[in-house]
Amino acid sequence: MLTASLSFAANLVSYTATSNVSQKDADKKALEGVAMQIGAKVDSKMETRLSEKADGSIEKTTDSKKSVSTNVLVKGAKIVPGPKSNGLFQSTVTVDLDQLASKILLDLDQVKVQMKSKDSLIRLDMLDRDYRKMEADMIQLEKMADQYNDHLEALSFVQAVPKELRLETTMGELTEFLLSSMQTVKLDAEEKDGNLRVVVSDFAGPIANFPVALTQDGKNVAVAKTDAKGVVNFNLKKNKKLRPSGDLTVHADMNFKFVRQSALQNVNVSYGAKKTGVAYRLACKGAAAECGALQKFLTDAGLTIADQAGIPELSVTLEFSDKDNSLKTLTTSRATVKFSCADKELVDQPQGVGRDAEAAHVKAISKLSASRILETFATGK
């Protein structure tokens, strides 16, 4: 239950509401009442629920939910709980519109000063060709502009907004300079002896402190910044230990929006394991797809797999334990892979996830430990 009264005095708005639910509910209703009076945006949403009762009949329940779309009232509202009477909670909310407008105008002025300071910093970033800081400061400037517009919207709820308060920024100019500079950025990468050397340059030469990331299978595997000469070196030994061969993508570790708009090109690098000089005849006990994946993995790891007489036989048994998720859209598989050759044996139990059992099996095989396999069988003795 709700009752309400409205009163105006000078430039004050006051609203009193009662509720049989709680004091908090009465406060909320009073705030909503004031909000509607001063023109705040109130979203009304009607939700209809249908439910079947025990006797088989259908019951319709409709709830009306209202929420004030701005926090402007919270800043300037004075909430005074009234005496509880006949089981009703009472609340009176009063807002001084002049005082509220003064507070918002002060907030607007503070944000404008901060934006001016940030604009100066971005221009210094540009002179230094510090792309990492330039990007971070640009994002902060955009957030400040959003904050300013939020304050301006709040002010519009309590008074007419003068034209001179409308936001005029240099973001367009700054963004254009950033993008035009990024369009000249070039990434060069070269893999040698287990290291990936990346050189980053632009129209003026090598770029220091430029953020670079390596991505494999959609995930970042390494992140670093260039040195004073625009160079960053990534050690691939750990990566090769997990993945003997594969493809890496070298890209700028910056906000995707700026990278996309500037069309800054990524660099793709392929690497592989050195051949060990050891050859085996593979005897695989498993399905064709899984055995094919295993042969590729061993070849990528550096072993030679050949079907010829006179070379050792590497016997491998593949067993899998599968489990579907609740929606049966993904399968998780734990593999038990047993290797044996003469008196050497190795057991590994990698796990993979795929859209079906076969895909999960192949994924699990790709996660075998190449280093353990090579340590055990690379000598061929």
Side-chain angles (χ1 to χ4, degrees), residues 11-13 38 71-73 75-77 95-110 150-162 165:
N11 207 18
L12 300 178
V13 177
I38 67 173
N71 63 359
V72 60
L73 289 179
K75 294 180 179 178
V95 177
D96 185 327
L97 299 184
D98 290 336
Q99 186 180 42
L100 183 56
S102 178
K103 174 64 171 66
I104 297 172
L105 287 169
L106 180 62
D107 291 340
L108 284 168
D109 189 60
Q110 289 177 342
D150 288 343
H151 289 318
L152 209 61
E153 183 182 13
L155 182 64
S156 70
F157 296 148
V158 295
Q159 70 172 43
V161 177
L165 288 181

PDB file of all heavy atoms in Angstrom, residues 11-13 38 71-73 75-77 95-110 150-162 165:
ATOM      1  N   ASN A  11      12.501  26.738  -4.138  1.00  0.00           N
ATOM      2  CA  ASN A  11      12.911  25.816  -5.202  1.00  0.00           C
ATOM      3  C   ASN A  11      13.163  24.429  -4.627  1.00  0.00           C
ATOM      4  O   ASN A  11      14.097  23.745  -5.004  1.00  0.00           O
ATOM      5  CB  ASN A  11      14.156  26.348  -5.910  1.00  0.00           C
ATOM      6  CG  ASN A  11      14.239  25.860  -7.352  1.00  0.00           C
ATOM      7  OD1 ASN A  11      13.253  25.423  -7.916  1.00  0.00           O
ATOM      8  ND2 ASN A  11      15.419  25.931  -7.934  1.00  0.00           N
ATOM      9  N   LEU A  12      12.313  24.042  -3.677  1.00  0.00           N
ATOM     10  CA  LEU A  12      12.391  22.731  -3.047  1.00  0.00           C
ATOM     11  C   LEU A  12      11.312  21.820  -3.604  1.00  0.00           C
ATOM     12  O   LEU A  12      10.210  22.266  -3.929  1.00  0.00           O
ATOM     13  CB  LEU A  12      12.218  22.849  -1.531  1.00  0.00           C
ATOM     14  CG  LEU A  12      13.216  23.706  -0.752  1.00  0.00           C
ATOM     15  CD1 LEU A  12      12.829  23.725   0.723  1.00  0.00           C
ATOM     16  CD2 LEU A  12      14.622  23.168  -0.926  1.00  0.00           C
ATOM     17  N   VAL A  13      11.630  20.566  -3.686  1.00  0.00           N
ATOM     18  CA  VAL A  13      10.641  19.554  -4.043  1.00  0.00           C
ATOM     19  C   VAL A  13      10.604  18.549  -2.909  1.00  0.00           C
ATOM     20  O   VAL A  13      11.646  18.029  -2.491  1.00  0.00           O
ATOM     21  CB  VAL A  13      10.999  18.843  -5.366  1.00  0.00           C
ATOM     22  CG1 VAL A  13       9.995  17.744  -5.662  1.00  0.00           C
ATOM     23  CG2 VAL A  13      11.029  19.830  -6.507  1.00  0.00           C
ATOM     24  N   ILE A  38      10.605  16.103 -10.762  1.00  0.00           N
ATOM     25  CA  ILE A  38      11.637  16.982 -11.335  1.00  0.00           C
ATOM     26  C   ILE A  38      12.074  16.512 -12.719  1.00  0.00           C
ATOM     27  O   ILE A  38      13.052  16.996 -13.276  1.00  0.00           O
ATOM     28  CB  ILE A  38      12.859  17.088 -10.411  1.00  0.00           C
ATOM     29  CG1 ILE A  38      13.609  15.757 -10.307  1.00  0.00           C
ATOM     30  CG2 ILE A  38      12.481  17.615  -9.060  1.00  0.00           C
ATOM     31  CD1 ILE A  38      14.909  15.850  -9.554  1.00  0.00           C
ATOM     32  N   ASN A  71      21.569   8.822 -10.765  1.00  0.00           N
ATOM     33  CA  ASN A  71      21.814   8.898  -9.321  1.00  0.00           C
ATOM     34  C   ASN A  71      21.816  10.342  -8.842  1.00  0.00           C
ATOM     35  O   ASN A  71      22.281  10.639  -7.754  1.00  0.00           O
ATOM     36  CB  ASN A  71      23.162   8.235  -8.976  1.00  0.00           C
ATOM     37  CG  ASN A  71      24.327   8.954  -9.636  1.00  0.00           C
ATOM     38  OD1 ASN A  71      24.141   9.925 -10.357  1.00  0.00           O
ATOM     39  ND2 ASN A  71      25.528   8.465  -9.401  1.00  0.00           N
ATOM     40  N   VAL A  72      21.304  11.251  -9.673  1.00  0.00           N
ATOM     41  CA  VAL A  72      21.323  12.661  -9.312  1.00  0.00           C
ATOM     42  C   VAL A  72      20.591  12.927  -7.999  1.00  0.00           C
ATOM     43  O   VAL A  72      21.012  13.745  -7.191  1.00  0.00           O
ATOM     44  CB  VAL A  72      20.725  13.519 -10.454  1.00  0.00           C
ATOM     45  CG1 VAL A  72      19.299  13.141 -10.756  1.00  0.00           C
ATOM     46  CG2 VAL A  72      20.796  14.992 -10.109  1.00  0.00           C
ATOM     47  N   LEU A  73      19.501  12.200  -7.766  1.00  0.00           N
ATOM     48  CA  LEU A  73      18.728  12.437  -6.541  1.00  0.00           C
ATOM     49  C   LEU A  73      19.474  12.000  -5.296  1.00  0.00           C
ATOM     50  O   LEU A  73      19.374  12.623  -4.240  1.00  0.00           O
ATOM     51  CB  LEU A  73      17.389  11.696  -6.621  1.00  0.00           C
ATOM     52  CG  LEU A  73      16.388  12.268  -7.611  1.00  0.00           C
ATOM     53  CD1 LEU A  73      15.127  11.441  -7.602  1.00  0.00           C
ATOM     54  CD2 LEU A  73      16.092  13.706  -7.277  1.00  0.00           C
ATOM     55  N   LYS A  75      22.493  12.219  -4.615  1.00  0.00           N
ATOM     56  CA  LYS A  75      23.458  13.226  -4.182  1.00  0.00           C
ATOM     57  C   LYS A  75      22.792  14.359  -3.414  1.00  0.00           C
ATOM     58  O   LYS A  75      23.370  14.901  -2.470  1.00  0.00           O
ATOM     59  CB  LYS A  75      24.182  13.807  -5.397  1.00  0.00           C
ATOM     60  CG  LYS A  75      25.065  12.816  -6.139  1.00  0.00           C
ATOM     61  CD  LYS A  75      25.733  13.497  -7.317  1.00  0.00           C
ATOM     62  CE  LYS A  75      26.639  12.528  -8.062  1.00  0.00           C
ATOM     63  NZ  LYS A  75      27.273  13.164  -9.240  1.00  0.00           N
ATOM     64  N   GLY A  76      21.586  14.753  -3.837  1.00  0.00           N
ATOM     65  CA  GLY A  76      20.995  15.940  -3.239  1.00  0.00           C
ATOM     66  C   GLY A  76      19.763  15.700  -2.394  1.00  0.00           C
ATOM     67  O   GLY A  76      19.166  16.655  -1.890  1.00  0.00           O
ATOM     68  N   ALA A  77      19.376  14.460  -2.240  1.00  0.00           N
ATOM     69  CA  ALA A  77      18.132  14.172  -1.523  1.00  0.00           C
ATOM     70  C   ALA A  77      18.351  14.088  -0.016  1.00  0.00           C
ATOM     71  O   ALA A  77      19.337  13.537   0.453  1.00  0.00           O
ATOM     72  CB  ALA A  77      17.532  12.867  -2.030  1.00  0.00           C
ATOM     73  N   VAL A  95      14.363  17.723  -1.852  1.00  0.00           N
ATOM     74  CA  VAL A  95      15.498  18.069  -2.707  1.00  0.00           C
ATOM     75  C   VAL A  95      15.498  19.573  -2.952  1.00  0.00           C
ATOM     76  O   VAL A  95      14.482  20.140  -3.376  1.00  0.00           O
ATOM     77  CB  VAL A  95      15.429  17.330  -4.058  1.00  0.00           C
ATOM     78  CG1 VAL A  95      16.582  17.758  -4.953  1.00  0.00           C
ATOM     79  CG2 VAL A  95      15.452  15.827  -3.847  1.00  0.00           C
ATOM     80  N   ASP A  96      16.638  20.215  -2.657  1.00  0.00           N
ATOM     81  CA  ASP A  96      16.833  21.632  -2.967  1.00  0.00           C
ATOM     82  C   ASP A  96      17.452  21.698  -4.359  1.00  0.00           C
ATOM     83  O   ASP A  96      18.632  21.383  -4.554  1.00  0.00           O
ATOM     84  CB  ASP A  96      17.763  22.272  -1.935  1.00  0.00           C
ATOM     85  CG  ASP A  96      17.903  23.774  -2.125  1.00  0.00           C
ATOM     86  OD1 ASP A  96      17.848  24.230  -3.289  1.00  0.00           O
ATOM     87  OD2 ASP A  96      18.084  24.490  -1.121  1.00  0.00           O
ATOM     88  N   LEU A  97      16.651  22.077  -5.349  1.00  0.00           N
ATOM     89  CA  LEU A  97      17.107  22.043  -6.736  1.00  0.00           C
ATOM     90  C   LEU A  97      18.266  23.000  -6.997  1.00  0.00           C
ATOM     91  O   LEU A  97      19.174  22.692  -7.774  1.00  0.00           O
ATOM     92  CB  LEU A  97      15.944  22.355  -7.673  1.00  0.00           C
ATOM     93  CG  LEU A  97      14.756  21.384  -7.615  1.00  0.00           C
ATOM     94  CD1 LEU A  97      13.724  21.753  -8.660  1.00  0.00           C
ATOM     95  CD2 LEU A  97      15.218  19.947  -7.817  1.00  0.00           C
ATOM     96  N   ASP A  98      18.249  24.175  -6.351  1.00  0.00           N
ATOM     97  CA  ASP A  98      19.344  25.134  -6.542  1.00  0.00           C
ATOM     98  C   ASP A  98      20.648  24.578  -5.993  1.00  0.00           C
ATOM     99  O   ASP A  98      21.706  24.699  -6.619  1.00  0.00           O
ATOM    100  CB  ASP A  98      19.011  26.460  -5.853  1.00  0.00           C
ATOM    101  CG  ASP A  98      17.899  27.202  -6.577  1.00  0.00           C
ATOM    102  OD1 ASP A  98      17.719  26.958  -7.786  1.00  0.00           O
ATOM    103  OD2 ASP A  98      17.222  28.025  -5.927  1.00  0.00           O
ATOM    104  N   GLN A  99      20.571  23.971  -4.830  1.00  0.00           N
ATOM    105  CA  GLN A  99      21.765  23.388  -4.211  1.00  0.00           C
ATOM    106  C   GLN A  99      22.280  22.216  -5.040  1.00  0.00           C
ATOM    107  O   GLN A  99      23.489  22.051  -5.238  1.00  0.00           O
ATOM    108  CB  GLN A  99      21.439  22.930  -2.785  1.00  0.00           C
ATOM    109  CG  GLN A  99      22.645  22.449  -2.001  1.00  0.00           C
ATOM    110  CD  GLN A  99      22.258  22.015  -0.595  1.00  0.00           C
ATOM    111  OE1 GLN A  99      21.244  21.355  -0.388  1.00  0.00           O
ATOM    112  NE2 GLN A  99      23.070  22.406   0.384  1.00  0.00           N
ATOM    113  N   LEU A 100      21.358  21.414  -5.543  1.00  0.00           N
ATOM    114  CA  LEU A 100      21.738  20.263  -6.362  1.00  0.00           C
ATOM    115  C   LEU A 100      22.397  20.716  -7.664  1.00  0.00           C
ATOM    116  O   LEU A 100      23.426  20.172  -8.085  1.00  0.00           O
ATOM    117  CB  LEU A 100      20.499  19.420  -6.661  1.00  0.00           C
ATOM    118  CG  LEU A 100      20.715  18.124  -7.446  1.00  0.00           C
ATOM    119  CD1 LEU A 100      21.728  17.226  -6.759  1.00  0.00           C
ATOM    120  CD2 LEU A 100      19.392  17.389  -7.634  1.00  0.00           C
ATOM    121  N   ALA A 101      21.822  21.743  -8.299  1.00  0.00           N
ATOM    122  CA  ALA A 101      22.401  22.271  -9.533  1.00  0.00           C
ATOM    123  C   ALA A 101      23.793  22.831  -9.289  1.00  0.00           C
ATOM    124  O   ALA A 101      24.708  22.641 -10.102  1.00  0.00           O
ATOM    125  CB  ALA A 101      21.497  23.352 -10.112  1.00  0.00           C
ATOM    126  N   SER A 102      23.979  23.513  -8.144  1.00  0.00           N
ATOM    127  CA  SER A 102      25.290  24.069  -7.810  1.00  0.00           C
ATOM    128  C   SER A 102      26.337  22.980  -7.676  1.00  0.00           C
ATOM    129  O   SER A 102      27.476  23.123  -8.147  1.00  0.00           O
ATOM    130  CB  SER A 102      25.190  24.867  -6.513  1.00  0.00           C
ATOM    131  OG  SER A 102      26.448  25.382  -6.134  1.00  0.00           O
ATOM    132  N   LYS A 103      25.964  21.865  -7.046  1.00  0.00           N
ATOM    133  CA  LYS A 103      26.891  20.736  -6.871  1.00  0.00           C
ATOM    134  C   LYS A 103      27.252  20.135  -8.227  1.00  0.00           C
ATOM    135  O   LYS A 103      28.423  19.815  -8.499  1.00  0.00           O
ATOM    136  CB  LYS A 103      26.241  19.673  -5.982  1.00  0.00           C
ATOM    137  CG  LYS A 103      27.050  18.386  -5.830  1.00  0.00           C
ATOM    138  CD  LYS A 103      28.365  18.632  -5.120  1.00  0.00           C
ATOM    139  CE  LYS A 103      29.063  17.315  -4.767  1.00  0.00           C
ATOM    140  NZ  LYS A 103      29.489  16.555  -5.950  1.00  0.00           N
ATOM    141  N   ILE A 104      26.271  19.981  -9.106  1.00  0.00           N
ATOM    142  CA  ILE A 104      26.538  19.392 -10.422  1.00  0.00           C
ATOM    143  C   ILE A 104      27.432  20.313 -11.249  1.00  0.00           C
ATOM    144  O   ILE A 104      28.342  19.860 -11.947  1.00  0.00           O
ATOM    145  CB  ILE A 104      25.215  19.117 -11.163  1.00  0.00           C
ATOM    146  CG1 ILE A 104      24.387  18.078 -10.391  1.00  0.00           C
ATOM    147  CG2 ILE A 104      25.486  18.614 -12.584  1.00  0.00           C
ATOM    148  CD1 ILE A 104      22.992  17.886 -10.937  1.00  0.00           C
ATOM    149  N   LEU A 105      27.199  21.623 -11.177  1.00  0.00           N
ATOM    150  CA  LEU A 105      28.034  22.578 -11.905  1.00  0.00           C
ATOM    151  C   LEU A 105      29.481  22.516 -11.436  1.00  0.00           C
ATOM    152  O   LEU A 105      30.414  22.636 -12.235  1.00  0.00           O
ATOM    153  CB  LEU A 105      27.479  23.996 -11.730  1.00  0.00           C
ATOM    154  CG  LEU A 105      26.190  24.300 -12.498  1.00  0.00           C
ATOM    155  CD1 LEU A 105      25.592  25.623 -12.034  1.00  0.00           C
ATOM    156  CD2 LEU A 105      26.450  24.334 -13.998  1.00  0.00           C
ATOM    157  N   LEU A 106      29.673  22.316 -10.134  1.00  0.00           N
ATOM    158  CA  LEU A 106      31.024  22.172  -9.593  1.00  0.00           C
ATOM    159  C   LEU A 106      31.677  20.904 -10.140  1.00  0.00           C
ATOM    160  O   LEU A 106      32.860  20.916 -10.524  1.00  0.00           O
ATOM    161  CB  LEU A 106      30.980  22.133  -8.066  1.00  0.00           C
ATOM    162  CG  LEU A 106      32.334  21.972  -7.349  1.00  0.00           C
ATOM    163  CD1 LEU A 106      33.241  23.148  -7.671  1.00  0.00           C
ATOM    164  CD2 LEU A 106      32.121  21.851  -5.837  1.00  0.00           C
ATOM    165  N   ASP A 107      30.918  19.811 -10.212  1.00  0.00           N
ATOM    166  CA  ASP A 107      31.442  18.549 -10.765  1.00  0.00           C
ATOM    167  C   ASP A 107      31.828  18.725 -12.227  1.00  0.00           C
ATOM    168  O   ASP A 107      32.863  18.226 -12.679  1.00  0.00           O
ATOM    169  CB  ASP A 107      30.398  17.439 -10.637  1.00  0.00           C
ATOM    170  CG  ASP A 107      30.163  17.021  -9.192  1.00  0.00           C
ATOM    171  OD1 ASP A 107      31.040  17.299  -8.350  1.00  0.00           O
ATOM    172  OD2 ASP A 107      29.109  16.420  -8.920  1.00  0.00           O
ATOM    173  N   LEU A 108      31.008  19.454 -12.979  1.00  0.00           N
ATOM    174  CA  LEU A 108      31.302  19.699 -14.391  1.00  0.00           C
ATOM    175  C   LEU A 108      32.606  20.465 -14.554  1.00  0.00           C
ATOM    176  O   LEU A 108      33.435  20.143 -15.418  1.00  0.00           O
ATOM    177  CB  LEU A 108      30.156  20.489 -15.034  1.00  0.00           C
ATOM    178  CG  LEU A 108      28.879  19.703 -15.352  1.00  0.00           C
ATOM    179  CD1 LEU A 108      27.747  20.656 -15.697  1.00  0.00           C
ATOM    180  CD2 LEU A 108      29.115  18.736 -16.504  1.00  0.00           C
ATOM    181  N   ASP A 109      32.801  21.467 -13.725  1.00  0.00           N
ATOM    182  CA  ASP A 109      34.014  22.280 -13.806  1.00  0.00           C
ATOM    183  C   ASP A 109      35.255  21.453 -13.485  1.00  0.00           C
ATOM    184  O   ASP A 109      36.293  21.576 -14.142  1.00  0.00           O
ATOM    185  CB  ASP A 109      33.903  23.467 -12.852  1.00  0.00           C
ATOM    186  CG  ASP A 109      35.037  24.469 -13.035  1.00  0.00           C
ATOM    187  OD1 ASP A 109      35.167  25.010 -14.138  1.00  0.00           O
ATOM    188  OD2 ASP A 109      35.809  24.665 -12.067  1.00  0.00           O
ATOM    189  N   GLN A 110      35.141  20.565 -12.484  1.00  0.00           N
ATOM    190  CA  GLN A 110      36.279  19.721 -12.096  1.00  0.00           C
ATOM    191  C   GLN A 110      36.649  18.754 -13.220  1.00  0.00           C
ATOM    192  O   GLN A 110      37.837  18.549 -13.515  1.00  0.00           O
ATOM    193  CB  GLN A 110      35.947  18.955 -10.820  1.00  0.00           C
ATOM    194  CG  GLN A 110      35.894  19.835  -9.574  1.00  0.00           C
ATOM    195  CD  GLN A 110      35.488  19.065  -8.337  1.00  0.00           C
ATOM    196  OE1 GLN A 110      34.934  17.963  -8.423  1.00  0.00           O
ATOM    197  NE2 GLN A 110      35.744  19.633  -7.164  1.00  0.00           N
ATOM    198  N   ASP A 150      27.469  12.639 -18.383  1.00  0.00           N
ATOM    199  CA  ASP A 150      26.563  12.134 -17.337  1.00  0.00           C
ATOM    200  C   ASP A 150      26.166  13.263 -16.395  1.00  0.00           C
ATOM    201  O   ASP A 150      24.990  13.389 -16.006  1.00  0.00           O
ATOM    202  CB  ASP A 150      27.239  11.009 -16.547  1.00  0.00           C
ATOM    203  CG  ASP A 150      27.354   9.717 -17.348  1.00  0.00           C
ATOM    204  OD1 ASP A 150      26.635   9.586 -18.361  1.00  0.00           O
ATOM    205  OD2 ASP A 150      28.167   8.852 -16.968  1.00  0.00           O
ATOM    206  N   HIS A 151      27.140  14.089 -15.995  1.00  0.00           N
ATOM    207  CA  HIS A 151      26.832  15.234 -15.126  1.00  0.00           C
ATOM    208  C   HIS A 151      25.905  16.217 -15.837  1.00  0.00           C
ATOM    209  O   HIS A 151      24.992  16.793 -15.221  1.00  0.00           O
ATOM    210  CB  HIS A 151      28.126  15.952 -14.719  1.00  0.00           C
ATOM    211  CG  HIS A 151      28.971  15.187 -13.750  1.00  0.00           C
ATOM    212  ND1 HIS A 151      28.448  14.506 -12.675  1.00  0.00           N
ATOM    213  CD2 HIS A 151      30.319  15.017 -13.680  1.00  0.00           C
ATOM    214  CE1 HIS A 151      29.431  13.923 -11.994  1.00  0.00           C
ATOM    215  NE2 HIS A 151      30.572  14.221 -12.575  1.00  0.00           N
ATOM    216  N   LEU A 152      26.149  16.407 -17.143  1.00  0.00           N
ATOM    217  CA  LEU A 152      25.321  17.329 -17.917  1.00  0.00           C
ATOM    218  C   LEU A 152      23.881  16.821 -17.989  1.00  0.00           C
ATOM    219  O   LEU A 152      22.926  17.601 -17.884  1.00  0.00           O
ATOM    220  CB  LEU A 152      25.900  17.470 -19.325  1.00  0.00           C
ATOM    221  CG  LEU A 152      25.669  18.798 -20.048  1.00  0.00           C
ATOM    222  CD1 LEU A 152      26.301  19.940 -19.269  1.00  0.00           C
ATOM    223  CD2 LEU A 152      26.244  18.747 -21.453  1.00  0.00           C
ATOM    224  N   GLU A 153      23.732  15.517 -18.151  1.00  0.00           N
ATOM    225  CA  GLU A 153      22.392  14.929 -18.161  1.00  0.00           C
ATOM    226  C   GLU A 153      21.720  15.107 -16.811  1.00  0.00           C
ATOM    227  O   GLU A 153      20.523  15.428 -16.729  1.00  0.00           O
ATOM    228  CB  GLU A 153      22.473  13.445 -18.516  1.00  0.00           C
ATOM    229  CG  GLU A 153      21.116  12.765 -18.614  1.00  0.00           C
ATOM    230  CD  GLU A 153      21.214  11.283 -18.906  1.00  0.00           C
ATOM    231  OE1 GLU A 153      22.330  10.728 -18.783  1.00  0.00           O
ATOM    232  OE2 GLU A 153      20.193  10.682 -19.241  1.00  0.00           O
ATOM    233  N   ALA A 154      22.504  14.923 -15.741  1.00  0.00           N
ATOM    234  CA  ALA A 154      21.952  15.114 -14.400  1.00  0.00           C
ATOM    235  C   ALA A 154      21.481  16.551 -14.207  1.00  0.00           C
ATOM    236  O   ALA A 154      20.418  16.807 -13.625  1.00  0.00           O
ATOM    237  CB  ALA A 154      23.005  14.752 -13.353  1.00  0.00           C
ATOM    238  N   LEU A 155      22.250  17.503 -14.733  1.00  0.00           N
ATOM    239  CA  LEU A 155      21.871  18.912 -14.597  1.00  0.00           C
ATOM    240  C   LEU A 155      20.573  19.201 -15.342  1.00  0.00           C
ATOM    241  O   LEU A 155      19.746  19.999 -14.889  1.00  0.00           O
ATOM    242  CB  LEU A 155      22.995  19.801 -15.129  1.00  0.00           C
ATOM    243  CG  LEU A 155      22.781  21.308 -15.017  1.00  0.00           C
ATOM    244  CD1 LEU A 155      22.705  21.733 -13.554  1.00  0.00           C
ATOM    245  CD2 LEU A 155      23.890  22.076 -15.732  1.00  0.00           C
ATOM    246  N   SER A 156      20.388  18.527 -16.483  1.00  0.00           N
ATOM    247  CA  SER A 156      19.182  18.761 -17.279  1.00  0.00           C
ATOM    248  C   SER A 156      17.922  18.344 -16.548  1.00  0.00           C
ATOM    249  O   SER A 156      16.823  18.779 -16.893  1.00  0.00           O
ATOM    250  CB  SER A 156      19.283  18.018 -18.609  1.00  0.00           C
ATOM    251  OG  SER A 156      19.184  16.609 -18.411  1.00  0.00           O
ATOM    252  N   PHE A 157      18.055  17.506 -15.510  1.00  0.00           N
ATOM    253  CA  PHE A 157      16.888  17.083 -14.741  1.00  0.00           C
ATOM    254  C   PHE A 157      16.390  18.180 -13.805  1.00  0.00           C
ATOM    255  O   PHE A 157      15.246  18.149 -13.374  1.00  0.00           O
ATOM    256  CB  PHE A 157      17.217  15.833 -13.909  1.00  0.00           C
ATOM    257  CG  PHE A 157      17.545  14.624 -14.745  1.00  0.00           C
ATOM    258  CD1 PHE A 157      18.451  13.686 -14.289  1.00  0.00           C
ATOM    259  CD2 PHE A 157      16.937  14.422 -15.965  1.00  0.00           C
ATOM    260  CE1 PHE A 157      18.754  12.579 -15.049  1.00  0.00           C
ATOM    261  CE2 PHE A 157      17.237  13.313 -16.736  1.00  0.00           C
ATOM    262  CZ  PHE A 157      18.144  12.387 -16.279  1.00  0.00           C
ATOM    263  N   VAL A 158      17.258  19.126 -13.479  1.00  0.00           N
ATOM    264  CA  VAL A 158      16.881  20.134 -12.488  1.00  0.00           C
ATOM    265  C   VAL A 158      16.831  21.546 -13.049  1.00  0.00           C
ATOM    266  O   VAL A 158      16.267  22.444 -12.428  1.00  0.00           O
ATOM    267  CB  VAL A 158      17.844  20.098 -11.279  1.00  0.00           C
ATOM    268  CG1 VAL A 158      17.714  18.770 -10.552  1.00  0.00           C
ATOM    269  CG2 VAL A 158      19.283  20.331 -11.693  1.00  0.00           C
ATOM    270  N   GLN A 159      17.443  21.793 -14.220  1.00  0.00           N
ATOM    271  CA  GLN A 159      17.372  23.123 -14.826  1.00  0.00           C
ATOM    272  C   GLN A 159      17.728  23.027 -16.308  1.00  0.00           C
ATOM    273  O   GLN A 159      18.279  22.024 -16.767  1.00  0.00           O
ATOM    274  CB  GLN A 159      18.321  24.096 -14.124  1.00  0.00           C
ATOM    275  CG  GLN A 159      19.794  23.819 -14.378  1.00  0.00           C
ATOM    276  CD  GLN A 159      20.696  24.922 -13.837  1.00  0.00           C
ATOM    277  OE1 GLN A 159      20.490  25.405 -12.738  1.00  0.00           O
ATOM    278  NE2 GLN A 159      21.694  25.301 -14.616  1.00  0.00           N
ATOM    279  N   ALA A 160      17.419  24.068 -17.042  1.00  0.00           N
ATOM    280  CA  ALA A 160      17.791  24.119 -18.457  1.00  0.00           C
ATOM    281  C   ALA A 160      19.314  24.225 -18.562  1.00  0.00           C
ATOM    282  O   ALA A 160      19.954  24.929 -17.788  1.00  0.00           O
ATOM    283  CB  ALA A 160      17.128  25.308 -19.121  1.00  0.00           C
ATOM    284  N   VAL A 161      19.891  23.501 -19.523  1.00  0.00           N
ATOM    285  CA  VAL A 161      21.349  23.477 -19.673  1.00  0.00           C
ATOM    286  C   VAL A 161      21.778  24.582 -20.641  1.00  0.00           C
ATOM    287  O   VAL A 161      21.378  24.572 -21.811  1.00  0.00           O
ATOM    288  CB  VAL A 161      21.824  22.111 -20.209  1.00  0.00           C
ATOM    289  CG1 VAL A 161      23.330  22.120 -20.426  1.00  0.00           C
ATOM    290  CG2 VAL A 161      21.430  21.006 -19.235  1.00  0.00           C
ATOM    291  N   PRO A 162      22.614  25.526 -20.170  1.00  0.00           N
ATOM    292  CA  PRO A 162      23.103  26.595 -21.068  1.00  0.00           C
ATOM    293  C   PRO A 162      23.964  26.008 -22.184  1.00  0.00           C
ATOM    294  O   PRO A 162      24.664  25.025 -21.996  1.00  0.00           O
ATOM    295  CB  PRO A 162      23.944  27.478 -20.128  1.00  0.00           C
ATOM    296  CG  PRO A 162      23.499  27.129 -18.747  1.00  0.00           C
ATOM    297  CD  PRO A 162      23.097  25.694 -18.792  1.00  0.00           C
ATOM    298  N   LEU A 165      27.738  25.192 -21.777  1.00  0.00           N
ATOM    299  CA  LEU A 165      28.175  24.020 -21.004  1.00  0.00           C
ATOM    300  C   LEU A 165      28.292  22.772 -21.868  1.00  0.00           C
ATOM    301  O   LEU A 165      28.812  21.751 -21.396  1.00  0.00           O
ATOM    302  CB  LEU A 165      27.211  23.743 -19.849  1.00  0.00           C
ATOM    303  CG  LEU A 165      27.255  24.718 -18.667  1.00  0.00           C
ATOM    304  CD1 LEU A 165      26.250  24.291 -17.607  1.00  0.00           C
ATOM    305  CD2 LEU A 165      28.645  24.802 -18.068  1.00  0.00           C
TER     306      LEU A 165
END
